[in-house]
Amino acid sequence: IVPVLINLLRDDDAGAVRAYAAQQLDRLADKRSTQALADSLSDTDERVRMFAAKGLAKIGNEKHVPALVKAVIDNLPDQNQDDFNSWYSSRPILKTIGQLSSKAPPEVVALLKPVSDGKEISEKWWRFYEAVVLCLGNIGDKSAYDELESAKESLTKEYQDYKTWYALRKALAAINP
């Protein structure tokens, strides 16, 4: 079934078909699907990207981190629109980056800049930033420490989101106990 599902990932007409194929490949966690799942991180359908990331978390390795980072950066939701699906699909991708990466990708660290700058942020974006912080905390790379500390200091002054603040404290403790 794995080769059939890999072929379905290339369906040009239906995102639902590609999403179903990616979901099943995620469930099967067969190493033969690793490259197909990595390629699916650039799919236009957020469900395909989400299931591809989940599958890579189970069977991927660090060589897929650049494709995962690109999937997050290329599909960032517009802060001025209510684009829940794009925001939601980035969370499992960030989680996968946190599981597979041994070094904090600079592009992911840079995502915290609006938090560090103390900008007004909507609820959905706080959940996104929380996922970024959890990703960096899972990696545990000291190169992310300064940006995480800056974001924590900004949240302490401007108290905007408790969940993100708590995730920041845990991430900082993971990096520098």
Side-chain angles (χ1 to χ4, degrees), residues 8-138:
L8 290 175
L9 279 176
R10 298 182 190 109
D11 188 288
D12 291 335
D13 297 328
V17 170
R18 295 190 311 274
Y20 178 77
Q23 181 183 31
Q24 298 313 309
L25 290 170
D26 164 35
R27 291 177 70 201
L28 293 170
D30 189 298
K31 289 185 187 241
R32 295 176 291 173
S33 65
T34 305
Q35 190 56 50
L37 290 171
D39 293 343
S40 294
L41 291 170
S42 61
D43 197 281
T44 56
D45 189 302
E46 63 274 348
R47 296 167 301 170
V48 175
R49 294 190 305 270
M50 182 180 66
F51 288 122
K54 288 180 175 184
L56 286 173
K58 294 175 185 169
I59 58 175
N61 60 41
E62 193 163 4
K63 77 176 187 176
H64 296 109
V65 169
L68 289 157
V69 171
K70 184 174 177 6
V72 171
I73 301 300
D74 288 352
N75 296 290
L76 281 176
D78 183 345
Q79 286 192 354
N80 300 318
Q81 294 182 359
D82 194 20
D83 189 3
F84 180 75
N85 289 334
S86 293
W87 164 84
Y88 186 75
S89 68
S90 63
R91 293 185 73 185
I93 298 172
L94 286 162
K95 184 176 181 179
T96 302
I97 293 168
Q99 291 171 330
L100 298 180
S101 186
S102 62
K103 298 200 181 288
E107 302 91 340
V108 175
V109 175
L111 290 173
L112 286 178
K113 192 74 174 135
V115 178
S116 299
D117 291 345
K119 292 190 175 177
E120 186 66 33
I121 298 170
S122 73
E123 179 66 24
K124 288 181 184 173
W125 275 91
W126 279 120
R127 301 294 62 82
F128 172 79
Y129 290 124
E130 179 186 11
V132 170
V133 168
L134 292 171
C135 168
L136 295 171
N138 284 339

Side-chain angles (χ1 to χ4, degrees), residues 155-170:
L155 276 175
T156 301
K157 289 179 198 167
E158 299 291 326
Y159 183 75
Q160 293 184 27
D161 187 76
Y162 178 74
K163 287 182 179 181
T164 304
W165 179 81
Y166 184 72
L168 279 161
R169 290 195 56 196
K170 284 179 60 177

